[in-house]
Amino acid sequence: MVLIRSIDVSPSMVNCSCAWASDYQQLSGLYHCPYTGAVTTRTATLDGFEEDESHAVAFMKDSLSSLNSYGYSPHPLHEYLAWIREFLGEGPSTKPFIISITESSAERLSEMLVAIQHCPNIKGHPPPSYHLPSLKPYLDVFAKVFQDDSTLTIGLKLPPYIIATQFRDVIECISSYTRTNSGNPTNPIAYFTCTNTLGNSLVFADQTPTPDAKTDMSQFAVPPGLGGLAGEAIHALSLGNVYTFSRLLAESDDPAMREIVIIGAGGVTSPEAVQRMNRAGAKIVGCATLLGKEGIKAFEILSRNS
């Protein structure tokens, strides 16, 4: 059991926000799976994201890795809220949902409440998590919402960082939002998910096991060429991010920062990968590529020997 504020995640395994957590049937499978301790929705916007043929995923033949050019969910936020109410109304299960949300501006985001999502595949909207001045307006929204309702559990899904100063800058930025109420330092951010996919990655069609008709006509695995890399190919980088953030949080002079929980994601494709994430500092572990490859069975595979 792992607590993120008042949310009990047991077992400590979740799906990552991804294309395989998009619709009602997929969420139902995740919700009723005994090996998931919480369900994460695909990232929603207020009105839904318009998908087309350029949004695709490809699996690699030489490793359990994937490349995707997806954007956000085509289902708007209100559909997810309706589905979640239905699931939670089924009976005594207390399995929580993590509602992944984003918008193109802080003003739009202020109409939403729970989580911010980084995505490397949105044209014209680079991830604000790589540019802290762009991220701060979103954090301002979360701080205001949390001030109004401290029962909210808010988290950030972070991109893969590679430079030491990036990690320290993120910690300092988040810590600046800590406030003391009734003698207790509290930060609006309760958890980090480390990491999302690695953007600007290129996979050729002949690196995939069974190129389909569309990729046969192109040299690239996904129509745009570039996409977000996930799975085993980024596992070492994701472990490094989890380890670095875990260490910096533990060493922080801000007691509220030391309470932030890390969800480790990136290349979690085996029970051994789960153990590595835990050793690096993740209290909860998430997966996406294995879910896309194996379906709900992925969580049974990851739970073996646990």
Short mmCIF file of all heavy atoms in Angstrom, two decimals, residues 108-134:
data_model
loop_
_atom_site.label_atom_id
_atom_site.label_comp_id
_atom_site.label_asym_id
_atom_site.label_seq_id
_atom_site.Cartn_x
_atom_site.Cartn_y
_atom_site.Cartn_z
N ARG A 108 -7.31 28.17 -19.81
CA ARG A 108 -8.15 26.99 -20.07
C ARG A 108 -7.99 25.95 -18.97
O ARG A 108 -8.94 25.32 -18.54
CB ARG A 108 -7.77 26.38 -21.42
CG ARG A 108 -8.07 27.25 -22.62
CD ARG A 108 -9.47 27.09 -23.11
NE ARG A 108 -9.67 25.77 -23.72
CZ ARG A 108 -10.86 25.35 -24.16
NH1 ARG A 108 -11.93 26.10 -24.03
NH2 ARG A 108 -10.97 24.14 -24.71
N LEU A 109 -6.75 25.80 -18.51
CA LEU A 109 -6.50 24.80 -17.47
C LEU A 109 -7.21 25.15 -16.17
O LEU A 109 -7.58 24.26 -15.41
CB LEU A 109 -5.00 24.67 -17.23
CG LEU A 109 -4.60 23.53 -16.31
CD1 LEU A 109 -4.83 22.18 -17.00
CD2 LEU A 109 -3.15 23.66 -15.89
N SER A 110 -7.43 26.43 -15.93
CA SER A 110 -8.08 26.84 -14.70
C SER A 110 -9.50 26.29 -14.59
O SER A 110 -10.07 26.24 -13.51
CB SER A 110 -8.09 28.37 -14.58
OG SER A 110 -8.91 28.94 -15.59
N GLU A 111 -10.05 25.87 -15.73
CA GLU A 111 -11.38 25.26 -15.71
C GLU A 111 -11.30 23.77 -15.39
O GLU A 111 -12.32 23.10 -15.25
CB GLU A 111 -12.06 25.47 -17.07
CG GLU A 111 -12.21 26.93 -17.48
CD GLU A 111 -12.87 27.07 -18.84
OE1 GLU A 111 -13.87 26.38 -19.09
OE2 GLU A 111 -12.38 27.88 -19.65
N MET A 112 -10.13 23.25 -15.30
CA MET A 112 -9.91 21.84 -14.96
C MET A 112 -9.16 21.80 -13.64
O MET A 112 -8.65 22.81 -13.17
CB MET A 112 -9.13 21.15 -16.08
CG MET A 112 -9.72 21.42 -17.46
SD MET A 112 -8.72 20.83 -18.84
CE MET A 112 -9.35 19.19 -19.05
N LEU A 113 -9.10 20.64 -12.99
CA LEU A 113 -8.69 20.67 -11.60
C LEU A 113 -7.55 19.76 -11.19
O LEU A 113 -6.90 20.03 -10.19
CB LEU A 113 -9.91 20.32 -10.69
CG LEU A 113 -11.09 21.27 -10.74
CD1 LEU A 113 -12.23 20.74 -9.91
CD2 LEU A 113 -10.67 22.64 -10.28
N VAL A 114 -7.28 18.64 -11.85
CA VAL A 114 -6.56 17.60 -11.14
C VAL A 114 -5.11 17.42 -11.51
O VAL A 114 -4.26 17.30 -10.63
CB VAL A 114 -7.30 16.25 -11.30
CG1 VAL A 114 -6.66 15.19 -10.41
CG2 VAL A 114 -8.75 16.40 -10.92
N ALA A 115 -4.74 17.33 -12.79
CA ALA A 115 -3.35 17.01 -13.13
C ALA A 115 -2.92 17.72 -14.38
O ALA A 115 -3.75 18.10 -15.20
CB ALA A 115 -3.19 15.50 -13.33
N ILE A 116 -1.65 17.94 -14.56
CA ILE A 116 -1.10 18.51 -15.78
C ILE A 116 -0.32 17.42 -16.51
O ILE A 116 0.28 16.58 -15.87
CB ILE A 116 -0.19 19.71 -15.49
CG1 ILE A 116 0.18 20.43 -16.78
CG2 ILE A 116 1.04 19.32 -14.71
CD1 ILE A 116 0.87 21.75 -16.56
N GLN A 117 -0.35 17.45 -17.82
CA GLN A 117 0.30 16.36 -18.57
C GLN A 117 1.26 16.93 -19.59
O GLN A 117 0.92 17.82 -20.34
CB GLN A 117 -0.77 15.53 -19.29
CG GLN A 117 -0.26 14.31 -19.96
CD GLN A 117 0.11 13.25 -18.95
OE1 GLN A 117 -0.36 13.28 -17.85
NE2 GLN A 117 0.96 12.34 -19.36
N HIS A 118 2.45 16.36 -19.61
CA HIS A 118 3.45 16.71 -20.63
C HIS A 118 3.25 15.79 -21.83
O HIS A 118 3.06 14.60 -21.67
CB HIS A 118 4.85 16.49 -20.03
CG HIS A 118 5.89 16.23 -21.04
ND1 HIS A 118 6.71 17.21 -21.53
CD2 HIS A 118 6.27 15.08 -21.66
CE1 HIS A 118 7.56 16.69 -22.38
NE2 HIS A 118 7.31 15.40 -22.49
N CYS A 119 3.29 16.36 -23.03
CA CYS A 119 3.23 15.52 -24.23
C CYS A 119 4.18 16.11 -25.27
O CYS A 119 4.06 17.29 -25.60
CB CYS A 119 1.82 15.44 -24.79
SG CYS A 119 1.70 14.36 -26.25
N PRO A 120 5.11 15.31 -25.80
CA PRO A 120 6.09 15.86 -26.75
C PRO A 120 5.59 15.94 -28.17
O PRO A 120 6.33 16.39 -29.04
CB PRO A 120 7.24 14.85 -26.65
CG PRO A 120 6.55 13.55 -26.36
CD PRO A 120 5.37 13.91 -25.47
N ASN A 121 4.36 15.53 -28.45
CA ASN A 121 3.91 15.37 -29.84
C ASN A 121 2.94 16.44 -30.31
O ASN A 121 2.35 16.30 -31.37
CB ASN A 121 3.25 14.00 -30.02
CG ASN A 121 4.24 12.87 -29.80
OD1 ASN A 121 5.42 13.02 -30.06
ND2 ASN A 121 3.74 11.75 -29.31
N ILE A 122 2.72 17.50 -29.54
CA ILE A 122 1.73 18.52 -29.91
C ILE A 122 2.42 19.65 -30.66
O ILE A 122 3.22 20.39 -30.09
CB ILE A 122 1.01 19.06 -28.67
CG1 ILE A 122 0.40 17.90 -27.87
CG2 ILE A 122 -0.08 20.05 -29.08
CD1 ILE A 122 -0.59 17.06 -28.63
N LYS A 123 2.11 19.77 -31.94
CA LYS A 123 2.74 20.80 -32.76
C LYS A 123 2.38 22.19 -32.26
O LYS A 123 1.22 22.48 -32.00
CB LYS A 123 2.30 20.64 -34.22
CG LYS A 123 2.79 19.35 -34.87
CD LYS A 123 2.32 19.25 -36.30
CE LYS A 123 2.79 17.95 -36.96
NZ LYS A 123 2.32 17.82 -38.34
N GLY A 124 3.38 23.04 -32.14
CA GLY A 124 3.14 24.41 -31.73
C GLY A 124 2.98 24.60 -30.24
O GLY A 124 2.80 25.72 -29.77
N HIS A 125 3.02 23.51 -29.47
CA HIS A 125 2.86 23.60 -28.02
C HIS A 125 3.93 22.75 -27.35
O HIS A 125 3.66 21.65 -26.87
CB HIS A 125 1.47 23.15 -27.59
CG HIS A 125 0.37 24.04 -28.09
ND1 HIS A 125 0.10 25.26 -27.54
CD2 HIS A 125 -0.50 23.88 -29.11
CE1 HIS A 125 -0.91 25.83 -28.20
NE2 HIS A 125 -1.28 25.00 -29.16
N PRO A 126 5.17 23.23 -27.31
CA PRO A 126 6.24 22.45 -26.69
C PRO A 126 5.96 22.24 -25.21
O PRO A 126 5.28 23.05 -24.58
CB PRO A 126 7.48 23.33 -26.91
CG PRO A 126 6.95 24.71 -27.09
CD PRO A 126 5.63 24.55 -27.78
N PRO A 127 6.49 21.16 -24.64
CA PRO A 127 6.21 20.85 -23.24
C PRO A 127 6.69 21.96 -22.30
O PRO A 127 7.87 22.31 -22.30
CB PRO A 127 6.99 19.56 -22.99
CG PRO A 127 7.20 18.97 -24.35
CD PRO A 127 7.31 20.13 -25.28
N PRO A 128 5.80 22.54 -21.49
CA PRO A 128 6.23 23.60 -20.58
C PRO A 128 7.20 23.10 -19.52
O PRO A 128 7.95 23.89 -18.95
CB PRO A 128 4.91 24.08 -19.96
CG PRO A 128 3.95 22.96 -20.13
CD PRO A 128 4.35 22.29 -21.41
N SER A 129 7.21 21.78 -19.26
CA SER A 129 8.11 21.25 -18.23
C SER A 129 9.58 21.40 -18.61
O SER A 129 10.45 21.27 -17.75
CB SER A 129 7.80 19.77 -17.97
OG SER A 129 6.48 19.62 -17.50
N TYR A 130 9.87 21.64 -19.87
CA TYR A 130 11.25 21.89 -20.28
C TYR A 130 11.61 23.37 -20.18
O TYR A 130 12.77 23.74 -20.37
CB TYR A 130 11.48 21.43 -21.72
CG TYR A 130 11.74 19.94 -21.86
CD1 TYR A 130 11.02 19.17 -22.76
CD2 TYR A 130 12.74 19.32 -21.11
CE1 TYR A 130 11.27 17.81 -22.90
CE2 TYR A 130 12.99 17.96 -21.25
CZ TYR A 130 12.26 17.21 -22.15
OH TYR A 130 12.51 15.87 -22.29
N HIS A 131 10.64 24.23 -19.92
CA HIS A 131 10.88 25.68 -19.85
C HIS A 131 10.08 26.21 -18.67
O HIS A 131 8.88 26.46 -18.79
CB HIS A 131 10.46 26.34 -21.16
CG HIS A 131 10.76 27.81 -21.21
ND1 HIS A 131 9.78 28.76 -21.34
CD2 HIS A 131 11.95 28.48 -21.14
CE1 HIS A 131 10.34 29.97 -21.35
NE2 HIS A 131 11.65 29.82 -21.24
N LEU A 132 10.74 26.36 -17.52
CA LEU A 132 10.03 26.66 -16.29
C LEU A 132 9.23 27.96 -16.33
O LEU A 132 8.14 28.02 -15.74
CB LEU A 132 11.00 26.65 -15.11
CG LEU A 132 11.61 25.28 -14.80
CD1 LEU A 132 12.50 25.35 -13.58
CD2 LEU A 132 10.52 24.24 -14.60
N PRO A 133 9.70 29.02 -17.00
CA PRO A 133 8.83 30.20 -17.09
C PRO A 133 7.49 29.91 -17.76
O PRO A 133 6.48 30.55 -17.45
CB PRO A 133 9.67 31.18 -17.92
CG PRO A 133 11.08 30.80 -17.63
CD PRO A 133 11.06 29.29 -17.53
N SER A 134 7.48 28.92 -18.70
CA SER A 134 6.21 28.53 -19.32
C SER A 134 5.39 27.65 -18.40
O SER A 134 4.16 27.61 -18.50
CB SER A 134 6.49 27.78 -20.63
OG SER A 134 7.19 28.58 -21.54
#
